[in-house]
Amino acid sequence: MKTRRIQTQPFTDQKPGTSGLRKKVSVFQQPHYLENFVQSIFNCLADDARNLLIIGGDGRFYNREAIQIIVKMAVANGFKRILVGQQGLISTPAMSLLIRKYKADGGIILSASHNPGGPEGDFGIKFNSSNGGPAAETLTDAMYQQSLTITEYEIFEAENISLDNFFTYTIEDTQVEVINSVTDYADHLATLFDFQIIRSLLTSGSFRMIFDAMHAVTGPYAVELLQNRLGAEEGSVINKIPLEDFGGGHPDPNMEYAHELTESMFKHDAPDFGAASDGDGDRNMILGRQFFVTPSDSLAIMTANIHHIPGYKSGACGVARSMPTSQAVDRVAENLGIPCYETPTGWKYFGNLLDSNKITLCGEESFGSGSNHIREKDGLWSVLFWLNLIAIRKQSVADIVREHWKKYGRHYYARHDYEEVDKSKAEQLMSHLTEQFDQLPGSQFNGFSIVSCDDFSYTDPVDSSISTNQGLRILFDNGSRIVFRLSGTGTKGATLRLYLEWFEQETTRHEEDPHQVLAPLAEIAEQLAQIRQFTGREKPSVIT
Ligand code: VG1
Ligand code: CO
């Protein structure tokens, strides 16, 4: 057995997007495709960063094959030790934790997150650095540059390892260990939350909950935490077995795709609490009985209540949200007198703020929230945060949210996605809109006036790196906003995202239908961007 150097040619499309490289499975199955990208990652690491690599994925189709290839390449590339998740499974938040806990040089996560899986579905690969967080933009750019000039990769000729048993293999000079990440993860969350009080709530007999793992990676973690450790009734975790095609579903925790959970939660005798997570376990949706919590509100409420949670007793030093996320958390931060940062979309932009202790909490409108406990968003962490809060405040989800609105006002919010539209048409739409930006400030629409519009760019306050073209913002004088962005996680055509936010201070107007409240903004968006004409679509593919 020996290391082989394989001659290869570059692929021109290996530019990582918002969260790693995502393509159709069939693209990854092309000869050398995965290998080229993995070698490009290794080529960007310092020579002395080869002590420990962690590899795992969300269990989707091609996960096991990819892991075998990456293990052999990591051996050939001189890693001393490799940890691999049992059955190839490691959720994104668990990976972040393991990298930090075992001081790894990095981790490779095989996931396309919330995108569907299976032979016809999507696959993805992302690299997390030694801080546990997604590779910074400078590093993903460097990987892309490597992928454009690559001429060979190294792979060790060896038998496949068994991913199903805990075992340590010695391959050449490398130790390869199959590990269980569930215990480490659950142990860590136990240091942050009051498990005793959550346990009393879940075993009281008067509180019922459902967690929908959507046949994705969180099943084993959720069973351990919610049922084994916290006493939720057997059966509280549904769709708990990870499947290669997620049972044919779309592992995205929103009311459209988590429909089994949503139906149960909107029945008249619904449980008190419902939650779901995505393919790789970093997203979360929180539901009360017949009640949906927007992710933007969830972040604001967590910030306002953080002192109730044992792991965060001294409060938050600062918070951050991605630009399209509603400004609900800004109001809380202002009230608490702490800084609130506005970053581009994608968790990698929170990394420096977390590492330099500028923020404690951060979140995105796309069903993501997390804290400085790791460097990724964390689905089950968010669920435990809410359960801990409910147990302490002894109020329903809806009451907690309504009280919050009463104090801070309500940010009505929605995101309209136009999926798989023609890429050049979507780009034309964006330039058509940008061209109007000089004229728009001051103009009136349905009684509101535009105060400013821009193409969002961000200067990182820690390393001063600049990220441009991060979305088009149109801001109104009453605090409302319209934002347009093109997604960086799709695998076919372009996905146009339209984000609508309307602020309402008046408590008597907090119980309205968000769709109706936001309709005038949607009309303005259509008027300015000519969405129907450019996309050829009468309505969005999904509204969340
Ligand atoms: C989407 C979301 C973004 C999130 C990203 C990765 O990106 O909008 O907020 O960080 O997915 O999440 P985009 O570029 O398609 O809008 V996940 O759960 O896929 O790791
Ligand atoms: Co995800």
Side-chain angles (χ1 to χ4, degrees):
M1 289 195 277
K2 59 172 192 321
T3 292
R4 294 181 56 199
R5 300 172 93 87
I6 309 286
Q7 301 304 306
T8 187
Q9 297 205 326
F11 291 89
T12 53
D13 65 345
Q14 298 197 322
K15 188 174 168 55
T18 314
S19 176
L21 181 68
R22 284 188 199 175
K23 301 282 171 195
K24 290 276 165 224
V25 166
S26 54
V27 173
F28 271 102
Q29 285 171 324
Q30 298 173 85
H32 311 309
Y33 193 90
L34 174 72
E35 292 87 341
N36 274 17
F37 190 70
V38 172
Q39 188 65 53
S40 302
I41 296 176
F42 292 158
N43 290 351
C44 292
L45 302 181
D47 289 341
D48 60 356
R50 310 221 166 199
N51 289 314
L52 176 59
L53 178 72
I54 310 182
I55 308 171
D58 64 11
R60 68 179 58 226
F61 184 82
Y62 201 54
N63 191 39
R64 285 173 175 261
E65 288 87 335
I67 288 179
Q68 300 291 353
I69 293 171
I70 299 169
V71 167
K72 291 171 199 173
M73 289 186 66
V75 171
N77 276 269
F79 281 91
K80 295 198 182 80
R81 209 173 145 219
I82 302 170
L83 305 182
V84 184
Q86 194 206 12
Q87 298 179 334
L89 299 178
I90 299 182
S91 75
T92 288
M95 175 64 90
S96 186
L97 172 74
L98 294 180
I99 293 173
R100 294 168 72 77
K101 181 166 180 180
Y102 297 111
K103 304 201 171 9
D105 298 293
I108 291 182
I109 305 173
L110 302 160
S111 170
S113 189
H114 54 286
N115 298 18
E120 312 299 323
D122 289 351
F123 192 72
I125 172 168
K126 50 184 178 173
F127 180 77
N128 279 31
S129 298
S130 58
N131 72 343
E137 207 179 345
T138 40
L139 183 52
T140 54
D141 284 348
M143 290 170 190
Y144 176 49
Q145 289 311 321
Q146 283 290 329
S147 77
L148 291 174
T149 54
I150 190 164
T151 56
E152 62 173 30
Y153 61 84
E154 294 187 325
I155 186 159
F156 194 79
E157 269 183 359
E159 296 289 316
N160 281 351
I161 59 168
S162 161
L163 296 174
D164 297 315
N165 309 308
F166 300 118
F167 192 76
T168 303
Y169 299 83
T170 305
I171 309 178
E172 199 68 353
D173 299 326
T174 312
Q175 275 208 350
V176 184
E177 237 172 284
V178 178
I179 56 146
N180 165 6
S181 60
V182 172
T183 309
D184 280 328
Y185 180 74
D187 286 351
H188 191 59
L189 292 195
T191 66
L192 302 172
F193 299 107
D194 185 342
F195 272 33
Q196 224 178 326
I197 196 171
I198 302 177
R199 202 181 158 82
S200 318
L201 174 76
L202 296 183
T203 53
S204 63
S206 59
F207 186 91
R208 284 180 301 135
M209 71 163 289
I210 315 180
F211 177 85
D212 188 350
M214 302 190 84
H215 287 303
V217 78
T218 36
Y221 300 88
V223 168
E224 172 63 13
L225 275 162
L226 298 169
Q227 295 184 183
N228 300 350
R229 298 200 186 192
L230 293 167
E233 231 180 303
E234 177 93 36
S236 301
V237 178
I238 59 169
N239 301 319
K240 63 183 181 192
I241 311 283
L243 297 176
E244 288 200 328
D245 65 350
F246 308 114
H250 199 136
D252 201 353
N254 56 49
M255 289 201 284
E256 170 114 10
Y257 295 129
H259 45 81
E260 186 180 345
L261 171 73
T262 306
E263 272 159 34
S264 308
M265 292 305 297
F266 281 80
K267 287 204 297 233
H268 77 279
D269 60 344
D272 304 88
F273 182 79
S277 187
D278 71 333
D280 61 331
D282 54 359
R283 296 186 177 205
N284 74 90
M285 173 168 69
I286 302 294
L287 300 172
R289 180 179 295 138
Q290 291 136 22
F291 195 89
F292 167 68
V293 186
T294 71
S296 298
D297 277 349
S298 180
L299 175 65
I301 290 164
M302 285 178 173
T303 306
N305 288 279
I306 192 163
H307 54 280
H308 286 306
I309 309 296
Y312 306 89
K313 269 212 176 78
S314 50
C317 62
V319 285
R321 61 164 172 84
S322 66
M323 181 273 278
T325 304
S326 98
Q327 301 159 102
V329 70
D330 302 36
R331 289 178 185 270
V332 178
E334 200 185 340
N335 183 264
L336 293 172
I338 57 173
C340 177
Y341 297 86
E342 184 176 37
T343 59
T345 295
W347 213 259
K348 56 178 174 259
Y349 297 103
F350 295 134
N352 280 345
L353 297 171
L354 290 164
D355 284 348
S356 57
N357 291 319
K358 289 189 181 299
I359 57 170
T360 305
L361 292 178
C362 43
E364 297 190 278
E365 52 65 40
S366 54
F367 298 82
S369 33
S371 85
N372 58 358
H373 69 295
I374 53 170
R375 294 295 179 271
E376 284 278 8
K377 51 187 186 269
D378 192 341
L380 278 165
W381 171 90
S382 310
V383 172
L384 294 198
F385 194 116
W386 270 92
L387 287 173
N388 202 153
L389 194 58
I390 293 166
I392 285 178
R393 288 191 38 177
K394 300 186 171 44
Q395 284 174 297
S396 70
V397 171
D399 287 348
I400 290 174
V401 176
R402 288 194 174 112
E403 245 179 54
H404 186 89
W405 291 340
K406 201 169 168 195
K407 178 162 179 190
Y408 294 96
R410 176 171 182 185
H411 290 256
Y412 284 95
Y413 189 86
R415 184 175 101 182
H416 294 193
D417 293 336
Y418 296 80
E419 292 174 347
E420 297 184 12
V421 301
D422 184 275
K423 196 159 177 244
S424 69
K425 289 275 170 46
E427 283 160 359
Q428 281 170 35
L429 178 151
M430 296 294 274
S431 19
H432 166 74
L433 193 59
T434 317
E435 279 158 19
Q436 302 167 58
F437 275 10
D438 284 347
Q439 273 77 54
L440 285 180
S443 24
Q444 300 277 329
F445 291 88
N446 304 348
F448 345 108
S449 130
I450 294 180
V451 281
S452 66
C453 3
D454 65 5
D455 187 345
F456 182 63
S457 39
Y458 176 67
T459 305
D460 186 294
V462 179
D463 65 14
S464 303
S465 57
I466 298 174
S467 307
T468 54
N469 299 319
Q470 297 295 329
L472 303 179
R473 298 192 288 189
I474 302 171
L475 313 178
F476 293 87
D477 55 357
N478 60 352
S480 301
R481 299 192 309 165
I482 297 176
V483 174
F484 286 87
R485 256 188 85 244
L486 296 183
S487 151
T489 57
T491 58
K492 200 168 165 213
T495 291
L496 173 72
R497 303 203 194 286
L498 164 64
Y499 309 81
L500 304 169
E501 176 181 356
W502 172 271
F503 177 64
E504 183 56 69
Q505 182 72 61
E506 193 50 59
T507 310
T508 54
R509 297 172 70 176
H510 284 173
E511 298 298 329
E512 287 169 31
D513 172 11
H515 193 69
Q516 276 177 13
V517 173
L518 295 165
L521 281 179
E523 256 168 52
I524 299 171
E526 169 60 33
Q527 202 177 325
L528 294 174
Q530 304 285 308
I531 306 171
R532 280 193 206 113
Q533 193 195 317
F534 279 107
T535 64
R537 302 282 172 80
E538 278 307 306
K539 57 180 180 48
S541 332
V542 195
I543 298 182
T544 51

